[in-house]
Amino acid sequence: MSLNNLIDSLSTQGWYVWDDFLNLSQIQAIKTCIPDTLHDAQIGNRDSLQGNKAIRGDQTIWLEPEMGTPVADYMAKMESIRQELNCQCYMGLRDFETHFCRYPNGAFYKKHIDNFQGQGRRKVTTVLYMNEAWQPGDGGELVVYNPQDEPLFQLDPLAGRMIVFMSEEFPHEVLPTQQKRESIAGWFLTEKIL
């Protein structure tokens, strides 16, 4: 019944932490589909894309179902959530984009909002954590702020845990990591990806 909890929580507080969204074997299977070579993450969009390690230090690769059945299964699960959010919350979500993120030791992502300036197509953010051996002190926690820019909570990036929140309402940051940190970030969109 976690899907019902997600819908209730998004409707009332704008965010939800879904522990055990995937199990360890599912997480491991997705990891086998990820290529060794990732790209330094960039900030901005289209003509203004740029790398800036003072703001974010992760490496990413966009996920596609063709990468393998585990990735396709994950994307199918997210599609069923998109449909349910539309059915119960009338959100008008039309697509989902997602990428794998790897933060090397010492990397971080400064506080930001998940929409490009002047655009509102990212409606709901999802982050699935893939860190099987994460321990307190390893860093890389997610800090979520309220619209008044006050810290709401700090979340440990435990394997199988997913956080879902309204993209435009919650500034957030990834604290510096002391270990390799992996996740899948995704966004439900109000426009179809061309």
Side-chain angles (χ1 to χ4, degrees):
M1 300 301 354
S2 289
L3 188 52
N4 289 336
N5 294 340
L6 166 67
I7 296 209
D8 290 344
S9 191
L10 272 185
S11 300
T12 57
Q13 65 186 13
W15 57 272
Y16 179 64
V17 176
W18 190 333
D19 283 318
D20 303 316
F21 180 76
L22 293 183
N23 62 40
L24 280 180
S25 64
Q26 291 169 312
I27 293 286
Q28 291 163 347
I30 291 173
K31 284 184 181 184
T32 66
C33 300
I34 305 299
D36 291 334
T37 304
L38 304 179
H39 311 286
D40 286 344
Q42 297 184 305
I43 57 171
N45 71 325
R46 295 194 179 114
D47 298 333
S48 67
L49 273 177
Q50 59 179 310
N52 188 335
K53 296 250 186 225
I55 294 176
R56 70 182 294 188
D58 56 321
Q59 300 172 313
T60 64
I61 189 164
W62 291 99
L63 296 183
E64 301 293 342
E66 297 76 26
M67 290 177 160
T69 301
V71 172
D73 290 347
Y74 170 73
M75 294 182 83
K77 188 169 184 175
M78 299 308 286
E79 172 61 15
S80 67
I81 291 172
R82 183 190 72 80
Q83 292 176 10
E84 199 61 31
L85 287 172
N86 281 344
C87 182
Q88 294 198 41
C89 302
Y90 308 104
M91 287 190 169
L93 304 173
R94 302 189 60 193
D95 214 341
F96 180 67
E97 64 181 2
T98 184
H99 64 208
F100 175 81
C101 310
R102 179 177 294 138
Y103 287 75
N105 194 352
F108 55 86
Y109 193 165
K110 290 210 169 166
K111 188 168 33 170
H112 63 283
I113 290 181
D114 280 352
N115 254 320
F116 300 119
Q117 193 168 4
Q119 295 184 6
R121 69 187 201 112
R122 288 180 172 175
K123 185 90 169 172
V124 180
T125 296
T126 67
V127 184
L128 171 68
Y129 297 108
M130 308 179 81
N131 309 294
E132 301 165 50
W134 188 90
Q135 296 293 318
D138 284 349
E141 298 91 348
L142 179 76
V143 181
V144 177
Y145 296 83
N146 67 17
Q148 294 74 42
D149 214 26
E150 303 160 334
L152 267 180
F153 60 90
Q154 185 168 304
L155 192 65
D156 297 335
L158 304 175
R161 168 181 280 173
M162 185 166 71
I163 181 166
V164 182
F165 58 90
M166 302 304 294
S167 301
E168 295 183 289
E169 294 179 24
F170 298 99
H172 54 283
E173 68 177 319
V174 176
L175 298 180
T177 182
Q178 308 306 314
Q179 302 288 337
K180 179 176 72 174
R181 175 195 189 271
E182 295 177 324
S183 60
I184 294 176
W187 301 271
F188 291 111
L189 311 171
T190 56
E191 295 174 13
K192 217 50 178 146
I193 300 172
L194 299 178

